[in-house]
Coordinates of all heavy atoms in Angstrom, one line a residue:
K5 N 8.7 27.8 -14.8 CA 7.4 27.9 -14.1 C 7.6 27.4 -12.6 O 8.2 26.3 -12.4 CB 6.3 27.1 -14.8 CG 5.0 27.1 -14.1 CD 4.7 25.8 -13.3 CE 3.5 25.9 -12.4 NZ 3.3 24.6 -11.7
F6 N 7.1 28.1 -11.7 CA 7.2 27.7 -10.3 C 5.8 27.5 -9.7 O 5.0 28.4 -9.8 CB 8.0 28.8 -9.5 CG 9.4 28.8 -9.8 CD1 9.9 29.7 -10.8 CD2 10.4 28.0 -9.2 CE1 11.2 29.7 -11.2 CE2 11.7 28.1 -9.5 CZ 12.1 28.9 -10.5
G7 N 5.6 26.3 -9.1 CA 4.3 25.9 -8.6 C 4.0 26.5 -7.3 O 4.8 27.2 -6.7
G8 N 2.9 26.1 -6.8 CA 2.3 26.6 -5.5 C 3.2 26.5 -4.3 O 3.4 27.4 -3.5
T9 N 3.9 25.3 -4.2 CA 4.7 25.1 -3.0 C 6.0 26.0 -3.2 O 6.5 26.5 -2.2 CB 5.2 23.6 -2.9 OG1 4.1 22.8 -3.2 CG2 5.7 23.3 -1.5
S10 N 6.5 26.1 -4.4 CA 7.7 26.9 -4.7 C 7.5 28.3 -4.3 O 8.5 29.0 -3.9 CB 8.1 26.8 -6.1 OG 8.2 25.4 -6.5
S38 N 2.5 30.1 -10.0 CA 1.2 29.7 -9.5 C 0.8 30.6 -8.4 O 1.6 31.4 -7.9 CB 1.3 28.3 -9.0 OG 1.4 27.4 -10.0
G203 N -4.5 23.6 -12.2 CA -3.1 23.1 -12.5 C -2.6 23.8 -13.7 O -1.5 23.5 -14.2
D206 N 1.1 25.5 -15.5 CA 2.1 24.7 -16.4 C 1.8 25.0 -17.8 O 2.7 25.2 -18.7 CB 1.9 23.2 -16.2 CG 2.2 22.7 -14.8 OD1 2.8 23.5 -14.0 OD2 1.8 21.6 -14.4
I223 N 9.7 23.2 -15.6 CA 8.6 23.2 -14.6 C 9.3 22.9 -13.2 O 9.7 21.8 -13.0 CB 7.6 22.1 -14.9 CG1 7.1 22.2 -16.3 CG2 6.5 22.1 -13.9 CD1 6.1 23.4 -16.6
W224 N 9.3 23.9 -12.4 CA 9.9 23.8 -11.0 C 8.8 23.5 -10.0 O 7.8 24.3 -9.9 CB 10.7 25.0 -10.7 CG 12.0 25.2 -11.5 CD1 12.1 25.6 -12.8 CD2 13.3 24.9 -11.0 NE1 13.4 25.6 -13.2 CE2 14.1 25.2 -12.1 CE3 13.9 24.5 -9.8 CZ2 15.5 25.0 -12.0 CZ3 15.2 24.3 -9.7 CH2 16.1 24.6 -10.9
T225 N 9.0 22.4 -9.3 CA 7.9 22.0 -8.4 C 8.5 21.5 -7.0 O 9.6 21.9 -6.7 CB 7.0 21.0 -9.1 OG1 5.9 20.6 -8.2 CG2 7.8 19.7 -9.5
D226 N 7.7 20.7 -6.3 CA 8.1 20.3 -5.0 C 8.7 18.8 -5.0 O 8.9 18.3 -3.9 CB 7.0 20.4 -4.0 CG 5.8 19.7 -4.3 OD1 5.7 19.1 -5.4 OD2 4.8 19.7 -3.6
V227 N 8.8 18.2 -6.1 CA 9.5 16.9 -6.2 C 10.5 16.9 -7.3 O 10.4 17.7 -8.2 CB 8.4 15.8 -6.5 CG1 7.6 15.5 -5.3 CG2 7.5 16.2 -7.7
G229 N 11.1 15.7 -10.1 CA 10.8 15.1 -11.5 C 9.5 14.4 -11.4 O 8.8 14.4 -10.5
M230 N 9.3 13.7 -12.6 CA 8.2 12.8 -12.6 C 8.6 11.4 -12.1 O 9.7 10.9 -12.6 CB 7.7 12.7 -14.1 CG 6.2 12.3 -14.1 SD 5.6 12.4 -15.8 CE 4.3 13.6 -15.7
Y231 N 7.9 10.9 -11.2 CA 8.3 9.7 -10.5 C 7.7 8.5 -11.1 O 6.7 8.6 -11.8 CB 8.0 9.8 -9.0 CG 8.9 10.6 -8.1 CD1 9.2 11.9 -8.5 CD2 9.5 10.1 -7.0 CE1 10.0 12.7 -7.7 CE2 10.3 10.8 -6.2 CZ 10.6 12.1 -6.6 OH 11.4 12.8 -5.8
T232 N 8.2 7.3 -10.7 CA 7.7 6.0 -11.2 C 6.3 5.8 -10.7 O 5.5 5.0 -11.2 CB 8.6 4.9 -10.7 OG1 8.9 5.1 -9.4 CG2 9.8 4.8 -11.6
A233 N 5.9 6.6 -9.6 CA 4.5 6.6 -9.1 C 4.4 7.8 -8.2 O 5.4 8.4 -7.8 CB 4.2 5.3 -8.3
N234 N 3.2 8.2 -7.9 CA 3.0 9.4 -7.0 C 3.8 9.1 -5.7 O 3.5 8.2 -4.9 CB 1.6 9.6 -6.7 CG 1.3 10.8 -5.9 OD1 2.3 11.4 -5.4 ND2 0.1 11.3 -5.8
P235 N 4.9 9.9 -5.4 CA 5.7 9.7 -4.3 C 4.9 9.8 -2.9 O 5.4 9.4 -1.9 CB 6.8 10.7 -4.4 CG 6.3 11.7 -5.3 CD 5.3 11.1 -6.2
K236 N 3.8 10.5 -3.0 CA 3.0 10.7 -1.8 C 2.3 9.3 -1.4 O 2.0 9.1 -0.3 CB 2.0 11.8 -1.9 CG 2.6 13.1 -2.1 CD 1.9 14.2 -1.3 CE 2.7 15.5 -1.4 NZ 2.4 16.4 -2.5
L255 N 0.8 9.8 -18.5 CA 0.9 9.8 -17.1 C 0.1 10.9 -16.5 O -0.6 10.8 -15.5 CB 2.4 9.8 -16.6 CG 3.1 8.5 -16.8 CD1 4.6 8.7 -16.6 CD2 2.6 7.4 -15.8
G259 N -3.4 11.1 -14.0 CA -3.3 11.5 -12.6 C -2.0 12.0 -12.1 O -1.9 12.4 -10.9
A260 N -0.9 11.9 -12.8 CA 0.4 12.4 -12.3 C 0.3 13.9 -12.4 O 0.7 14.5 -13.4 CB 1.6 11.8 -13.2
K261 N -0.1 14.5 -11.3 CA -0.5 15.9 -11.2 C 0.7 16.8 -11.4 O 0.6 18.0 -11.7 CB -1.1 16.1 -9.8 CG -1.5 17.4 -9.5 CD -2.0 17.4 -8.0 CE -2.2 18.8 -7.6 NZ -1.7 19.0 -6.2
V262 N 1.9 16.2 -11.3 CA 3.1 17.1 -11.4 C 3.2 17.8 -12.8 O 3.8 18.9 -12.9 CB 4.4 16.2 -11.2 CG1 4.5 15.1 -12.3 CG2 5.6 17.0 -11.1
L263 N 2.4 17.4 -13.8 CA 2.4 18.1 -15.0 C 0.9 18.2 -15.5 O 0.3 17.1 -15.6 CB 3.2 17.4 -16.1 CG 3.5 18.1 -17.4 CD1 4.3 19.4 -17.2 CD2 4.2 17.2 -18.4
A307 N 6.2 4.0 -15.6 CA 5.6 4.5 -14.4 C 4.2 4.0 -14.3 O 3.6 3.6 -15.2 CB 5.7 6.0 -14.4
I308 N 3.6 4.2 -13.1 CA 2.2 3.9 -12.9 C 1.6 5.1 -12.2 O 2.2 5.8 -11.4 CB 2.1 2.7 -12.0 CG1 0.6 2.4 -11.6 CG2 2.9 2.7 -10.7 CD1 0.2 1.0 -11.7
S309 N 0.4 5.4 -12.7 CA -0.3 6.6 -12.1 C -1.8 6.2 -11.8 O -2.2 5.1 -12.1 CB -0.2 7.8 -13.0 OG -0.8 7.4 -14.2
Ligands
ADP1 P1 2.9 22.5 -8.3 O1 2.1 23.2 -7.3 O2 4.4 22.7 -8.2 O3 2.3 22.7 -9.7 P2 1.6 20.0 -8.1 O4 1.1 19.8 -6.7 O5 0.6 20.4 -9.1 O6 2.8 21.0 -7.9 O7 2.4 18.7 -8.6 C1 3.4 18.1 -7.8 C2 2.8 16.9 -7.1 O8 2.4 15.9 -8.0 C3 3.8 16.2 -6.2 O9 4.0 16.8 -5.0 C4 3.1 14.8 -6.1 O10 2.4 14.7 -5.0 C5 2.2 14.7 -7.3 N1 2.4 13.6 -8.2 C6 1.5 12.7 -8.6 N2 2.0 11.8 -9.3 C7 3.3 12.1 -9.5 C8 4.4 11.5 -10.1 N3 4.3 10.4 -10.9 N4 5.6 12.0 -10.1 C9 5.8 13.1 -9.3 N5 4.8 13.8 -8.6 C10 3.6 13.2 -8.7

Side-chain angles (χ1 to χ4, degrees):
K5 176 261 172 177
F6 290 89
T9 320
S10 305
S38 287
D206 297 346
I223 305 284
W224 289 75
T225 181
D226 57 357
V227 286
M230 204 173 242
Y231 281 55
T232 45
N234 184 348
K236 296 221 170 87
L255 286 169
K261 181 183 167 224
V262 64
L263 189 66
I308 174 138
S309 58

